[in-house]
Amino acid sequence: AQKVTQAQTEISVVEKEDVTLDCVYETRDTTYYLFWYKQPPSGELVFLIRRNSFDEQNEISGRYSWNFQKSTSSFNFTITASQVVDSAVYFCALSEASTDSWGKLQFGAGTQVVVTP
Amino acid sequence: DTGVSQDPRHKITKRGQNVTFRCDPISEHNRLYWYRQTLGQGPEFLTYFQNEAQLEKSRLLSDRFSAERPKGSFSTLEIQRTEQGDSAMYLCASSGAGAWSQYFGPGTRLLVL
């Protein structure tokens, strides 16, 4: 069963618009970590953020912000005032703390963000 | 501090040939992971090492795949008798002891003709 769902396949915006990427996850573990990675056309996965299951504080880093809500099993990502350089595929991932899967990342299918000038 | 490096970056081979990829993790990272990513999909976990010990293998890793990490430093992933379905990007990542964040290399893109 898919543990991480990114329902949006592609989002197209015009530069300076805000864009929100949805991520819904599924786990029975009480301890887990959630991640967002960016994959630009060059192909390398760039780490953006990690949150643990006990920390529901939202986080802002420059134009990026993340909204973690355990009640809805969601970890959404917003890019404010998008720029052309934000064009990439963004992946949400889950890592569960249970012994047999420690550290393994389970990725969603990704959301392609296209920012046009 | 250099990042994760992978070699080669691209590999084209004919069906039935063997290929080997190398990954050099961030120095002092004791965990090393291999993932496979096909077009339009997220990466899928293949296997991981803690130091030189291979602790988990996905069922995606058929008998034709083998991975090693001698001396707990670099790792190699070998695919024997390649098939067209093996065409994908092979990604390597590493993380430090007790750390949950994995840092990825640039990947090796394999095309099997």
Side-chain angles (χ1 to χ4, degrees):
Chain A
Q2 182 75 301
K3 295 219 172 186
V4 178
T5 302
Q6 294 180 255
Q8 305 147 307
T9 304
E10 181 171 327
I11 301 176
S12 294
V13 295
V14 177
E15 209 169 18
K16 297 184 183 177
E17 289 184 340
D18 297 348
V19 56
T20 295
L21 310 180
D22 298 333
C23 173
V24 174
Y25 63 92
E26 178 187 330
T27 181
R28 292 183 180 179
D29 281 19
T30 55
T31 302
Y32 54 90
Y33 292 78
L34 295 163
F35 302 80
W36 277 95
Y37 284 86
K38 174 182 180 180
Q39 189 173 44
S42 61
E44 186 163 347
L45 280 164
V46 178
F47 168 79
L48 296 178
I49 190 172
R50 180 195 77 212
R51 303 297 286 174
N52 73 54
S53 52
F54 299 107
D55 183 1
E56 287 192 72
Q57 277 194 339
N58 292 330
E59 182 159 338
I60 297 175
S61 176
R63 296 184 297 105
Y64 295 167
S65 62
W66 291 269
N67 182 358
F68 177 28
Q69 293 194 347
K70 285 179 75 171
S71 60
T72 55
S73 297
S74 65
F75 185 43
N76 297 337
F77 171 33
T78 297
I79 304 172
T80 302
S82 60
Q83 300 175 1
V84 173
V85 293
D86 296 326
S87 296
V89 181
Y90 291 85
F91 290 98
C92 180
L94 166 72
S95 186
E96 296 166 305
S98 57
T99 306
D100 62 348
S101 60
W102 203 97
K104 174 175 68 177
L105 288 172
Q106 299 171 82
F107 286 86
T111 298
Q112 170 84 58
V113 173
V114 179
V115 183
T116 52
Chain B
D1 189 20
T2 58
V4 179
S5 61
Q6 292 187 245
D7 184 70
R9 296 289 307 277
H10 304 273
K11 179 71 177 179
I12 300 174
T13 191
K14 293 182 179 180
R15 187 161 50 104
Q17 297 295 304
N18 298 345
V19 294
T20 300
F21 310 142
R22 176 180 172 124
C23 170
D24 287 88
I26 293 171
S27 58
E28 297 178 359
H29 276 191
N30 67 338
R31 290 197 176 91
L32 187 147
Y33 304 79
W34 284 99
Y35 294 82
R36 180 172 69 186
Q37 185 179 21
T38 53
L39 205 59
Q41 300 298 317
E44 296 175 293
F45 170 80
L46 292 178
T47 188
Y48 101 91
F49 293 83
Q50 181 161 308
N51 300 313
E52 66 276 8
Q54 187 174 18
L55 296 186
E56 187 176 350
K57 292 169 61 173
S58 163
R59 61 180 181 275
L60 291 175
L61 219 61
S62 75
D63 292 344
R64 297 183 298 105
F65 288 71
S66 63
E68 294 182 341
R69 193 183 181 197
K71 302 178 184 177
S73 55
F74 71 91
S75 175
T76 58
L77 177 68
E78 181 183 15
I79 310 174
Q80 296 183 325
R81 305 181 303 283
T82 52
E83 302 173 356
Q84 289 183 324
D86 297 331
S87 296
M89 173 82 91
Y90 290 83
L91 294 161
C92 175
S94 69
S95 67
W100 285 84
S101 299
Q102 294 178 28
Y103 295 89
F104 283 79
T108 295
R109 193 175 295 277
L110 172 67
L111 177 62
V112 182
L113 301 175

